């Protein structure tokens, strides 16, 4: 008779596949492996079977090596369950959290996905993303030390507490290692060698835990990635990009040139005498500068990570691990020399110390008699200040992180216990230059800055001082858990776990004083500093109800100082319906406690939100822009100016100020899953899991688009519009150059000035979908086992609540905000002798470009009828990756990786700013073991 699928011996055999989410180690099919009780992410109770009531995907060490990825971020992106919106390689130079990489699940944000290392948290990155989100920096984790990664695709606040709303990612490091290994890696793009990275890692361990009672190892890795600019990428941009809204002149040379141009008005710009002939535009005779080589797309990234682990026995029953990790990184952007500034555009920002708005401020024109002004009137000079190049202007982020932890575990009688204590820190500092309102104004008005010359460094420092943002987090923690069987029921043992989790956390993040005082034009900052304590007690039980039905239940109470206590429940059921079919489901409540930025002491934060669609001014700007773009003989310069005016209204920015709110409540969530695991034939399994999550009381500022929707009903003073008559007249003057009879205007509606947008509990999000996994193997005679795995996600629904409408918005699954509904990865591996082949087929479905703040994006953006089909839907994308490893040389392993083997182009996306094409990349790896 066929053995039941979920008998303990069968699980370790039949469910083991190359990329299985259901198994940890391969066992020979003709042996009966010794069963061991292990702890699976999502439970505190050890168990002998690997299937739980919730879905857990496992990336083993073999899986990791087959990907050819050398960063934790890239490893996690190899799963369809995760996505990212922050990467140290490509994050905007203007963002708060440069120099770090984060991950999320279910499109619910980084703060709703809990990242663990060896089952415990690590300190959040020193710089909060968006000046709000405290998240885990994946760059600080040494890749070569990873044994496996477990991805729990279900909420788990009842087990782990705050943040585990969308899921949990547990990165499990090696526990023991004997001998040594050195690995080198190199990766570059086909036809674009500037897109490259390389890394080196080494690990050495000594000691046999069984024979000598200890094992200790140390691992170190270094990583370097080269940055590149838009200029480096110039020939890689697709032709269609020029047809997208606001990008018709993406590569136009810049009128802020070293010699410069006098700007009288939008219809009259004149080059200064002395401009080199090769910099004169033959169409409009303006002096122009190619800025693209100075506009960075990716960072020059250098980082290291090291880890040491000592595993030892204390007596006969205590297993101990002392772990120490440390990491550091430097990220530098390619930035251009600074320039003079537009004198017609208003600037508005915030003085956090005095609590007041600054502006509208206008940069000064060059007075008559200024060394840069040869006219008889005050004039705007558009010029590039070359003496602020060559390293004077810079943008750099430096960070470091460490954790020391002692982990003890053992048994007392029939009970297992574990406990850990540790201390961790993370700090980061971002530095760059900005314009001093007084220093720049004085240098121009007092005629002290000399155009076209090398000026004194002290003068340049007064005009463009350094500004910094520094942050640091510290956490001390202790936890303890006891688990074991407390009773023998007819269907099996009743197992229970109880425990406690204590953490003391401090966080501070502050902009430099010149930012907080409002000295720097248009620069926003924050200042927060506080310490909080977290206390938790929890319990969990697995109850064999009847022979084939198991109930799991967990309850956790968390209290963060200064906020309300929260109780998180979870219930799960697992039913062996037949010998080959397991049914499972969970229902749980989750939460996220307010972090120190949101609820702690401090001056609050000011920031710029972008891109912003001004619902009142964007439609008008779109009409005006079309008149210029379609104007007979319109010059590139005029088209570029019109695109800039359009972008300011439809993809612009708006300043906002946000204050911490000590009265915030925790975010809460309700989620449930329902799924099955089926083995139709031996060695083939199918897992299918439906999930549904609703998150409430979301902490944040109201979405700016939502605020603008309800502008008419806002309290007086919450949204400030400013008089932009001067800027509007510049646009209208340019339009009349090509459409003299134009009557369209801005109707006295001023530009967005400032929004006061405090932290509140107001948001809600709903997400649902299906995770699926099919895995198995086929024995090929005289060749080997072909292992196959298909895993993916299909999003059914994703909706965000709009406060202004008092209703949920559109279903963004399959639209711009949530992107594709269907994402899959099909992996195959075949080992033949010393060769190990692997192939991955990646599929991402198509999606539309509409969103809550732009329900008919292509039409409202003025896309032509001919380009409408290309705009309305981003096509699906399929790529193929191939890897080959050779181990036929003693102690040596060589590997080759080709990603995007078929060299597929990037998807056409009319709404995105094109940054990087989709390259075919080649990577090689070599390791030596001793």
């Amino acid at each position: 008779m066929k053995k039941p699928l979920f008998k303990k011996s069968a699980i370790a055999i039949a469910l083991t596949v190359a990329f299985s989410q259901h198994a940890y180690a391969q066992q020979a099919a003709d042996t009966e492996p010794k069963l061991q009780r292990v702890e699976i992410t999502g439970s505190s109770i050890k168990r002998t079977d690997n299937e739980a009531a919730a879905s857990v995907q496992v990336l083993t060490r073999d899986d990791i090596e087959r990907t050819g990825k050398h960063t934790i971020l890239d490893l996690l992106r190899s799963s369809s369950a995760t996505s990212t919106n922050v990467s140290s390689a490509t994050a905007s130079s203007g963002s708060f959290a440069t120099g770090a990489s984060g991950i999320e699940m279910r499109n619910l944000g980084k703060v709703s996905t809990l990242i663990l290392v060896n089952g415990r948290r690590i300190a959040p990155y020193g710089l909060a993303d968006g000046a709000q989100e405290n998240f885990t920096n994946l760059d600080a984790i040494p890749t070569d030390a990873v044994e496996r990664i477990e991805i729990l695709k279900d909420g788990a606040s009842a087990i782990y507490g705050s943040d585990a709303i969308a899921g949990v990612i547990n990165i499990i490091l090696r526990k023991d290692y004997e001998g040594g290994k050195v690995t080198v890696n190199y990766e570059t793009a086909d036809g674009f060698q500037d897109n490259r990275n390389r890394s080196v890692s080494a690990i050495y361990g000594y000691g046999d835990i069984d024979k000598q009672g200890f094992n200790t190892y140390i691992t170190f890795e270094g990583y370097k990635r080269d940055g590149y600019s838009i200029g480096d990428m110039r020939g890689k941009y697709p032709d269609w990009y020029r047809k997208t809204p606001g990008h018709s002149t993406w590569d136009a040379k810049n009128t802020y040139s070293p010699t410069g141009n006098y700007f009288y008005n939008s219809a009259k710009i004149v080059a200064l005498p002395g401009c080199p002939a090769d910099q004169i535009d033959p169409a409009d005779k303006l002096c122009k500068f190619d800025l693209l080589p100075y506009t960075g797309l990716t960072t020059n990234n250098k980082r290291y990570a090291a880890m040491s682990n000592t595993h030892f026995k204390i007596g006969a029953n205590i297993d101990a691990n002392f772990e120490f990790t440390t990491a550091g990184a430097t990220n530098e952007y390619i930035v251009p020399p600074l320039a003079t500034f537009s004198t017609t555009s208003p600037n508005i920002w915030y003085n956090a110390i005095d609590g007041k708005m600054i502006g509208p401020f206008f940069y000064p024109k060059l007075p008559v008699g200024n060394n840069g002004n040869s006219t008889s009137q005050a004039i705007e000079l558009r010029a590039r200040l070359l003496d602020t190049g060559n390293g004077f202007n810079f943008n750099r982020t430096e960070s470091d992180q460490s954790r020391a932890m002692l982990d003890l575990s053992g048994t007392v009688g029939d009970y297992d216990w574990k406990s850990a204590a540790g201390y961790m820190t993370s700090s980061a500092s971002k530095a760059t230059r900005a314009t001093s309102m007084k220093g720049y104004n004085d240098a121009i008005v007092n005629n002290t800055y000399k155009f076209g010359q090398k000026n004194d460094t002290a003068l340049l420092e007064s005009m463009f001082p350094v500004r910094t943002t520094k942050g640091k987090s510290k956490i001390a923690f202790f936890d303890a858990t006891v688990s074991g069987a407390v009773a023998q029921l007819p269907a099996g043992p009743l197992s229970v776990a109880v425990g406690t989790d204590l953490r003391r956390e401090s966080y501070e993040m502050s902009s430099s004083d010149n930012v907080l005082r409002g000295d720097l034009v248009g620069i926003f900052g924050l200042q927060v500093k506080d310490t909080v304590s977290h206390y938790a007690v929890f319990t969990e039980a697995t109850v064999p109800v009847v022979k084939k039905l198991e109930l799991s239940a967990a309850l956790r109470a968390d209290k963060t100082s200064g906020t309300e206590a929260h109780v998180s429940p979870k219930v799960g059921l697992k039913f062996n319906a037949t010998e080959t079919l397991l049914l499972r489901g969970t229902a749980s409540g989750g939460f996220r406690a307010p972090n120190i930025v949101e609820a702690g002491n401090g001056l609050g934060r000011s920031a710029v939100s972008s891109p912003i669609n001004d619902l009142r001014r964007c439609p008008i700007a779109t009409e005006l822009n079309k008149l210029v773009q379609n104007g007979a003989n319109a010059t590139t310069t005029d088209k570029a100016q019109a695109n800039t005016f359009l972008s300011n209204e439809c993809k612009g920015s708006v300043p906002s100020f946000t204050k911490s709110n000590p009265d915030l409540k925790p975010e809460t969530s309700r989620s449930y899953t329902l799924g099955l695991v089926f083995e139709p034939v031996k060695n083939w399994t199918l897992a299918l899991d439906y999930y549904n999550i609703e998150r409430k009381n979301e902490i944040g500022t109201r979405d700016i688009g939502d605020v603008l929707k309800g502008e008419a009903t806002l309290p007086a003073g919450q949204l400030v519009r400013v008089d932009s008559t001067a800027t509007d007249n510049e646009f209208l003057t340019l339009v009349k150059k090509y459409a003299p009879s134009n009557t369209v205007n801005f109707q006295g509606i001023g530009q967005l000035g400032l929004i006061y947008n405090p932290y509140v509990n107001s948001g809600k999000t709903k997400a649902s979908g299906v995770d699926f996994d099919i895995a198995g193997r086929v024995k090929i005679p005289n060749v080997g086992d072909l292992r196959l795995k298909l895993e993916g996600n299909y999003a059914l629904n994703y909706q965000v609540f709009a406060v202004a409408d008092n209703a949920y918005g559109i279903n963004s699954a399959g639209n711009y905000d949530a992107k594709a509904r269907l994402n899959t990865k099909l992996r195959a591996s075949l080992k033949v002798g010393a060769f190990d082949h692997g192939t991955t087929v990646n599929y991402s479905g198509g999606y539309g470009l509409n969103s809550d703040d732009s329900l008919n994006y292509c039409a409202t953006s003025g896309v032509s009828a001919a380009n409408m089909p290309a705009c309305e839907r981003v096509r699906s994308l399929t790529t193929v990756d191939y890897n080959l490893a050779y181990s036929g040389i003693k102690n040596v392993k060589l590997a080759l990786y080709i990603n995007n083997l078929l060299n597929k182009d990037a998807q056409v996306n009319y709404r995105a700013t094109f940054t990087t094409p989709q390259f075919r990349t080649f990577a090689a790896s070599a390791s030596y073991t001793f």
Side-chain angles (χ1 to χ4, degrees):
M1 185 176 70
K2 184 178 180 181
K3 289 184 178 181
L5 168 63
F6 299 105
K7 283 187 176 180
K8 297 172 182 177
S9 60
I11 285 193
I13 301 170
L15 299 186
T16 300
V17 290
F19 297 88
S20 178
Q21 83 179 54
H22 309 298
Y24 291 96
Q26 182 178 347
Q27 303 288 344
D30 57 352
T31 64
E32 191 76 9
K34 180 181 178 180
L35 295 175
Q36 292 187 358
R37 294 161 63 238
V38 296
E39 184 177 325
I40 301 172
T41 299
S43 174
S44 298
I45 299 174
K46 289 185 176 181
R47 55 201 307 138
T48 54
D49 59 352
N50 293 327
E51 286 298 339
S55 173
V56 179
Q57 179 182 356
V58 179
L59 298 174
T60 67
R61 186 68 220 173
D62 285 343
D63 301 341
I64 290 169
E65 292 184 358
R66 282 192 176 98
T67 67
K69 305 302 183 183
H70 311 303
T71 68
I72 299 295
L73 175 66
D74 286 339
L75 287 177
L76 290 174
R77 289 163 86 177
S78 69
S79 168
S80 62
T82 63
S83 60
T84 185
N85 62 1
V86 58
S87 165
S88 58
T90 58
S92 167
S93 61
S95 67
F96 274 96
T98 53
S101 299
I103 205 79
E104 65 177 311
M105 298 172 64
R106 312 299 194 203
N107 278 309
L108 294 178
K110 299 182 292 300
V111 295
S112 291
T113 298
L114 179 60
I115 308 296
L116 305 174
V117 177
N118 285 342
R120 273 85 179 187
R121 300 166 187 257
I122 64 175
Y125 186 57
L127 301 177
D129 193 22
Q132 180 188 0
E133 294 185 333
N134 287 126
F135 68 100
T136 300
N137 177 22
L138 301 174
D139 293 344
I141 304 169
T143 309
D144 202 42
V146 176
E147 179 65 28
R148 68 182 185 271
I149 299 175
E150 298 176 0
I151 303 174
L152 174 65
K153 301 178 182 180
D154 187 21
S157 288
I159 307 297
Y160 301 109
S162 179
D163 309 337
I165 290 176
V168 178
I169 298 173
N170 190 6
I171 301 168
I172 299 170
L173 306 182
R174 300 177 192 263
K175 191 172 184 179
D176 298 306
Y177 192 90
E178 292 185 67
K181 183 179 180 181
V182 177
T183 304
V184 294
N185 308 283
Y186 182 84
E187 182 176 12
T188 188
D190 185 11
F192 188 58
Q193 293 187 1
D194 289 328
N195 183 7
R196 61 183 176 181
N197 65 75
R198 50 273 200 201
S199 64
V200 59
S201 62
I203 184 171
Y204 180 76
Y206 174 76
D208 187 310
I209 189 68
D210 294 323
K211 296 178 180 179
Q212 298 167 282
F214 80 96
N215 176 270
T216 185
Y217 75 84
I218 185 170
T219 180
F220 176 88
E221 64 184 40
Y223 175 91
K224 186 178 188 300
R225 178 187 176 94
D226 292 345
Y228 53 85
S229 68
I230 297 180
D232 296 325
M233 289 283 300
R234 190 191 308 272
K236 308 294 182 181
Y237 274 57
D239 294 337
W240 60 262
Y241 184 60
R242 202 177 301 278
K243 302 174 184 178
T244 64
H247 299 132
S248 62
T249 57
W250 72 268
D251 58 348
K253 291 186 176 180
N254 197 278
T255 55
Y256 289 86
S257 62
T259 304
N261 299 276
Y262 287 136
F263 183 88
Y264 290 87
N265 55 57
S266 292
K268 184 181 178 182
I269 309 174
V270 179
L272 266 69
C275 181
D278 61 350
Q279 294 182 21
I280 294 290
D281 189 320
D284 54 24
K285 310 303 179 185
L286 296 183
C287 188
K288 296 185 178 179
F289 180 67
D290 186 4
L291 192 61
L292 299 188
Y294 303 92
T295 306
L297 277 177
T298 62
T299 63
N300 287 303
N301 174 238
K302 295 183 292 185
R303 62 178 185 260
Y304 75 88
M307 182 214 174
S308 173
N309 185 75
T310 300
H311 179 197
F312 57 100
K313 295 285 188 179
I314 302 177
N317 296 319
I318 299 178
D319 195 65
N321 281 276
F322 179 73
E323 168 205 315
F324 179 76
T325 58
T326 183
T330 298
N331 286 265
E332 294 184 287
Y333 285 86
I334 302 168
V335 292
L338 294 157
T340 57
F341 299 92
S342 169
T343 63
T344 57
S345 299
N347 293 272
I348 298 168
W349 66 102
Y350 202 80
N351 178 339
I353 292 177
D354 296 327
K356 63 181 182 181
M357 185 179 83
I358 299 179
F361 166 80
F362 291 86
Y363 284 105
K365 293 185 176 182
L366 272 58
V368 175
N370 182 278
N371 70 93
N373 183 3
S374 60
T375 74
S376 58
Q377 65 181 70
I379 194 76
E380 176 183 322
L381 173 63
R382 295 188 167 182
R384 186 70 48 182
L385 311 181
L386 289 187
D387 55 352
T388 63
N390 297 323
F392 177 82
N393 190 20
F394 69 98
N395 191 314
R396 180 184 307 117
T397 301
E398 296 179 312
S399 62
D400 59 77
Q401 190 153 336
S402 64
R403 182 175 82 163
M405 181 177 77
L406 178 63
D407 178 3
L408 303 175
S409 62
T411 58
V412 176
D414 295 330
Y415 295 94
D416 298 315
W417 63 271
K418 63 177 182 177
S419 181
Y423 180 76
M424 61 191 85
T425 66
S426 177
S427 62
S429 176
K430 176 180 178 179
T432 186
R433 292 194 181 275
T435 307
S436 166
M437 179 172 59
K438 182 178 187 304
Y440 181 87
N441 191 83
D442 288 350
I444 299 301
V445 173
N446 298 336
N447 203 20
T448 51
Y449 181 83
K450 305 302 179 184
F451 289 92
Q453 300 180 28
K454 173 64 177 176
N455 285 267
D456 182 71
T457 301
L459 175 64
L460 297 179
E461 293 278 358
S462 70
M463 297 172 66
F464 307 106
V466 173
R467 66 177 178 98
T468 62
T469 304
K470 296 181 178 181
K472 188 168 188 177
S473 62
K474 301 177 184 178
I475 298 178
F477 73 94
F478 169 80
D479 63 58
T481 305
V482 177
S483 64
V486 296
Q488 185 65 38
L489 303 179
L494 167 62
S495 297
V496 173
V498 294
T500 186
D501 184 3
L502 309 174
R503 283 178 286 132
R504 180 72 169 170
E505 178 181 1
S506 66
Y507 183 74
E508 58 182 296
M509 182 175 174
S510 180
S511 303
S512 49
D513 287 347
N514 54 6
V515 174
L516 295 176
R517 287 193 306 264
D519 296 344
L520 308 181
V521 180
I523 303 301
F524 299 81
L526 94 165
Q527 189 275 321
V528 62
K529 182 177 182 180
D530 211 341
T531 299
V532 296
S533 296
H534 306 276
Y535 314 91
V537 291
F538 54 88
T539 185
E540 180 185 356
T542 57
V543 184
V545 181
V546 294
K547 185 175 181 181
K548 295 184 178 182
L549 178 64
E550 180 183 272
L551 168 71
S552 58
L555 191 68
R556 177 174 171 130
D558 286 87
K559 176 71 171 71
T560 298
S561 54
T563 63
E564 296 179 356
H566 184 81
V567 176
S568 303
K570 184 169 186 176
V571 176
L573 284 173
K574 185 179 72 169
F575 177 51
N576 287 317
T578 70
E579 293 181 348
T580 59
L581 176 64
L582 179 146
L583 303 177
R584 62 188 180 188
T586 65
S588 61
F591 84 106
R592 181 178 79 85
N595 64 35
I596 290 176
V597 175
E598 296 162 335
N601 294 321
L603 298 175
R605 71 173 176 94
S606 52
V608 176
S609 299
S610 64
I612 297 302
N613 178 12
D614 188 332
L615 299 176
R616 299 177 68 188
R617 289 176 59 92
C618 177
I620 300 170
T622 299
E623 288 188 55
L624 296 173
N625 182 59
K626 288 174 66 174
L627 294 174
V628 177
Q629 302 298 328
N630 298 330
N633 303 316
T635 66
T636 299
T637 299
D638 288 346
K639 287 184 176 182
Q641 285 193 86
N643 280 336
T644 299
F645 284 125
L646 173 68
S647 181
N648 288 341
E649 309 304 339
C650 302
K651 297 180 181 179
S653 60
V654 61
S656 62
F657 182 76
T658 302
K659 185 73 174 174
S660 300
N661 182 358
D663 297 325
L664 289 172
K665 299 178 181 179
E667 293 182 356
T668 60
S669 68
R670 180 180 59 195
S671 64
Y672 60 89
T673 67
L674 186 64
L676 60 86
V677 181
F678 180 50
E679 184 188 27
V681 295
K682 184 179 180 180
N683 296 330
W684 283 89
T685 60
L686 162 68
L688 196 66
D689 292 275
Y690 168 80
Y691 64 88
N692 187 298
I693 305 172
E694 184 173 11
R695 183 174 60 182
K696 299 180 179 180
N697 291 325
E698 291 176 11
I699 301 169
T701 56
R702 282 181 60 186
D703 180 82
I704 299 299
D706 188 37
V707 173
L708 295 179
K709 275 186 181 180
E711 181 177 353
T713 62
L714 294 176
Q718 185 171 350
L719 187 154
V720 179
R721 287 189 178 270
V722 297
D723 183 3
S724 56
T725 302
T727 303
D728 295 348
N729 286 340
E730 289 292 343
F731 197 179
L732 295 172
T733 299
L734 178 61
V735 171
K736 285 187 175 294
K737 184 176 178 180
Y738 298 99
S741 60
N742 170 60
T743 58
V744 177
N745 60 65
F746 286 99
Q747 306 166 23
I749 303 169
Q751 287 183 327
L752 295 171
L754 183 73
I755 294 177
Y756 291 90
N757 203 11
Y759 286 121
V760 290
N761 291 101
S762 64
K764 293 191 289 187
T765 305
K766 296 192 295 187
S768 64
V770 177
D771 295 316
F772 54 89
D773 178 290
I774 304 172
R777 62 184 181 186
V778 178
K779 189 172 184 63
I780 303 175
N782 303 319
V783 177
D785 285 351
L786 173 65
R787 301 175 183 274
L788 299 171
K789 178 180 174 66
L790 172 68
E791 59 103 354
N793 170 264
Y794 185 84
L796 295 171
N797 185 58
Y798 183 87
Q799 289 178 279
V800 176
F801 188 80
V803 176
D805 299 334
N806 194 31
Y808 278 99
I810 67 170
N811 182 3
S812 291
N815 279 302
Y816 180 72
D817 288 332
K819 303 299 188 293
R821 285 182 179 272
L822 178 62
N823 289 281
T824 67
K825 293 182 182 292
L826 172 63
R827 298 182 174 94
S829 67
L830 176 64
K831 189 170 184 179
V832 182
F835 293 91
D836 190 353
H837 302 265
T839 301
T840 302
V841 180
N842 311 282
Y843 175 82
S844 179
Y847 58 92
L849 292 183
N850 296 331
S851 61
D852 285 331
D853 61 352
S854 189
L855 296 176
N856 197 349
Y857 173 79
C858 298
T860 57
S861 297
V863 174
S864 67
N867 295 322
M868 193 64 71
C871 175
E872 287 181 333
R873 186 163 182 82
V874 175
R875 62 177 172 81
S876 63
L877 178 66
T878 302
T879 62
V880 178
D881 304 331
Y882 172 74
N883 64 275
L884 173 65
Y886 175 71
S887 54
I889 304 173
K890 184 179 180 181
N891 299 335
V892 174
K893 185 175 182 179
L894 305 175
L896 171 70
Y897 307 92
I898 306 175
N899 294 324
N900 191 16
L901 178 68
L902 304 179
N903 205 21
K904 287 291 189 74
D905 291 333
Q907 296 162 294
V908 176
N909 188 333
Y910 267 53
R911 191 166 179 176
T913 297
F914 191 85
T915 53
T916 305
Q918 185 160 281
F919 292 107
R920 175 167 49 203
T921 63
F922 299 97
S925 173
S927 62
Y928 178 75
T929 304
F930 56 93

